[in-house]
Amino acid sequence: DEYLVSQREGQEGALPWEDTLSLMRPVLAALHCAHSLGIVHRDLKPSNVLLDQSAGIPGVPKVADFGIAKVLGSDAGMTGTNARMGTWGYMAPEQFRGAKHVDPSADVFSLAMMTWEMVAGRLPIDLDDQRAVLMMYEGLEPIQRLDAVAQCPVWMADIVEQGLAL
């Protein structure tokens, strides 16, 4: 198995938007199913989407690692009020502030960030710059539109922008 953002045949960099869309469709379907069952993943990131290459390259994406998933309406007590669970750069701002009360929109943010990364070939922020990360999560630093940094249709950039809306 390979991770979602690692490129076919070991190539690095951005994927064409059409390939990104093809890879993200099964991920969207899996999350739609999880959300319809009241499950929020809370840790969507490229390394938690595996490519099953038994059917050939690039492979069929499979959402993995529901280890910190939340069942909506459940009060299992596993998440503290202000606990940060997830991965910087992919977790939604509301999740950054506290993972206890997230809903499916947190996964939508993660999917939009992954899509941005796949099409642009990088994340819109430098994860090593803690100030930039904090400013993004506080809504003080807007995330650049995807079509300003990579070639993709306006409608795709609009969808990604909606998913990243703070």
Side-chain angles (χ1 to χ4, degrees), residues 26-36 39 41 44 63 66 107 111:
V27 175
L28 290 167
L31 284 173
H32 175 72
C33 181
H35 293 166
S36 70
I39 299 168
H41 190 284
L44 283 172
V63 177
F66 281 79
D107 288 345
L111 286 171

Side-chain angles (χ1 to χ4, degrees), residues 14-31:
L15 279 174
W17 69 267
E18 299 93 343
D19 292 348
T20 298
L21 194 58
S22 293
L23 286 167
M24 291 305 283
R25 278 190 178 119
V27 175
L28 290 167
L31 284 173

Side-chain angles (χ1 to χ4, degrees), residues 24-107:
M24 291 305 283
R25 278 190 178 119
V27 175
L28 290 167
L31 284 173
H32 175 72
C33 181
H35 293 166
S36 70
L37 295 171
I39 299 168
V40 180
H41 190 284
R42 294 198 300 184
D43 197 22
L44 283 172
K45 58 186 174 184
S47 62
N48 283 342
V49 178
L50 304 178
L51 292 174
D52 177 358
Q53 295 181 331
S54 63
I57 293 179
V60 177
K62 308 279 183 175
V63 177
D65 193 359
F66 281 79
I68 65 168
K70 169 125 177 103
V71 177
L72 296 176
S74 160
D75 243 355
M78 297 269 306
T79 306
T81 304
N82 293 315
R84 284 190 188 139
M85 300 179 83
T87 303
W88 280 36
Y90 299 99
M91 76 170 91
E94 65 271 20
Q95 188 173 346
F96 179 80
R97 291 186 279 279
K100 187 169 183 135
H101 300 290
V102 298
D103 62 24
S105 65
D107 288 345

Side-chain angles (χ1 to χ4, degrees), residues 5-6 8 14 18 31 35 40 44 46 48 54 57 61 84 86 89 94 108 115 117 120 137 142 146 148 154-155 159:
V5 175
S6 61
R8 306 169 252 203
E18 299 93 343
L31 284 173
H35 293 166
V40 180
L44 283 172
N48 283 342
S54 63
I57 293 179
R84 284 190 188 139
E94 65 271 20
V108 171
T115 302
E117 179 181 19
Y137 281 125
L146 181 57
V154 171
W155 61 262
I159 291 169

Side-chain angles (χ1 to χ4, degrees), residues 4-5 20 24 27-28 31 44-46 89-93 104-120 122-124 143-146 156-166:
L4 181 63
V5 175
T20 298
M24 291 305 283
V27 175
L28 290 167
L31 284 173
L44 283 172
K45 58 186 174 184
Y90 299 99
M91 76 170 91
S105 65
D107 288 345
V108 171
F109 181 93
S110 300
L111 286 171
M113 190 63 86
M114 288 171 38
T115 302
W116 202 104
E117 179 181 19
M118 291 170 70
V119 174
R122 63 175 177 81
L123 283 169
I143 296 172
Q144 204 170 9
R145 273 186 60 92
L146 181 57
M156 185 177 203
D158 289 345
I159 291 169
V160 169
E161 185 175 50
Q162 272 188 314
L164 295 174
L166 307 173

